[in-house]
Amino acid sequence: SNLIQGDLRALGDGIGRCVQLWNLVLNFDSNQVDSDLGALGAGIGRCVQLSKLLLNFDSNLIQGDLRALGDGIGRCVQLADLRLQFSNNQIDGDLSVVGKGIGCCVQLTLLGLFFNSNPIEGDLRALGEGIRRCAQLATFELWLKNTAVTVSVVRRDFPNASMNAACKGGIWAADGFVRLTELVA
C-alpha cells in the first residue's frame, strides 16, 4: 500500500487527539512512505502519557532528518519502552535530534534504535548524551550497519553509554559490534 504526505498528516492529527493513549504501535514496514514525519511527531508529542512507542518504518522512502519526531518523543516523558525502526530509508545527517528527545525520557527501560542502511554520518555525541540520561535502561540496542558509523566513532561518542551497569545490549556499527559492558566505566 502507498501513503502520501497528506495521509500521514491526518494520522498525526488523529493520534494527537488521543491524549490518553499509553501504548502506540505503528507498522508501516515495506510501504512507499516518503512523507515528512512532522505531523506524526507533533501528534505523538501530544500523547504525553505514552509508556510504549513502537514505530516501524523499515524499507520505505523516508528522507532527511527526524527533527519533529525527536521533538515529539521528547514530550513523552513517561515512555518506558521505545523502539524506532527506520532501516533501509534515506535518513541523513546525525541522530542528534533523536538523542535530544530520548534524553527527556528518563524512565526508559527498553530502547531499540534500528537505522541500518541509511546515509547517517559518524557523529553520535548528542545521541550518547541523551542515552546517558536514561539511568533505568535494562536493554539497549543500536543498529547502524551499512552506515558511515564505525566502531571507533561508537567508542568515542558513547563513553559510559549507560549509567546502569546492568544494562544489556550493544551497538552494531558498520565495521563491527561493541558490547555495552565495554563502554561502561
Side-chain angles (χ1 to χ4, degrees), residues 84 87 113 138 179 185:
L84 301 177
S87 294
L113 303 173
R179 284 178 175 55

Short mmCIF file of all heavy atoms in Angstrom, two decimals, residues 84 87 113 138 179 185:
data_model
loop_
_atom_site.label_atom_id
_atom_site.label_comp_id
_atom_site.label_asym_id
_atom_site.label_seq_id
_atom_site.Cartn_x
_atom_site.Cartn_y
_atom_site.Cartn_z
N LEU A 84 12.41 2.40 17.63
CA LEU A 84 12.32 3.12 16.37
C LEU A 84 13.03 2.31 15.30
O LEU A 84 14.23 2.08 15.40
CB LEU A 84 12.97 4.50 16.49
CG LEU A 84 12.41 5.44 17.55
CD1 LEU A 84 13.20 6.73 17.59
CD2 LEU A 84 10.94 5.71 17.30
N SER A 87 15.31 1.32 9.32
CA SER A 87 16.33 0.77 8.42
C SER A 87 15.86 0.87 6.97
O SER A 87 14.66 0.85 6.68
CB SER A 87 16.63 -0.69 8.78
OG SER A 87 17.24 -0.76 10.04
N LEU A 113 16.98 1.11 18.70
CA LEU A 113 17.08 2.04 17.58
C LEU A 113 17.68 1.30 16.40
O LEU A 113 18.81 0.81 16.50
CB LEU A 113 17.95 3.24 17.96
CG LEU A 113 17.51 4.03 19.20
CD1 LEU A 113 18.54 5.07 19.57
CD2 LEU A 113 16.15 4.66 18.96
N ALA A 138 17.46 -1.10 30.92
CA ALA A 138 17.84 -2.50 31.17
C ALA A 138 18.29 -3.16 29.87
O ALA A 138 19.11 -4.07 29.89
CB ALA A 138 16.67 -3.27 31.77
N ARG A 179 29.91 -4.27 22.70
CA ARG A 179 29.05 -4.60 23.84
C ARG A 179 28.98 -3.40 24.78
O ARG A 179 29.96 -2.71 24.97
CB ARG A 179 29.59 -5.80 24.60
CG ARG A 179 29.37 -7.11 23.95
CD ARG A 179 29.99 -8.26 24.77
NE ARG A 179 29.74 -9.58 24.30
CZ ARG A 179 29.99 -10.05 23.10
NH1 ARG A 179 30.47 -9.26 22.18
NH2 ARG A 179 29.76 -11.29 22.79
N ALA A 185 32.04 2.47 32.36
CA ALA A 185 33.25 2.57 33.20
C ALA A 185 33.01 1.97 34.56
O ALA A 185 31.93 1.87 35.05
CB ALA A 185 33.63 4.03 33.35
#
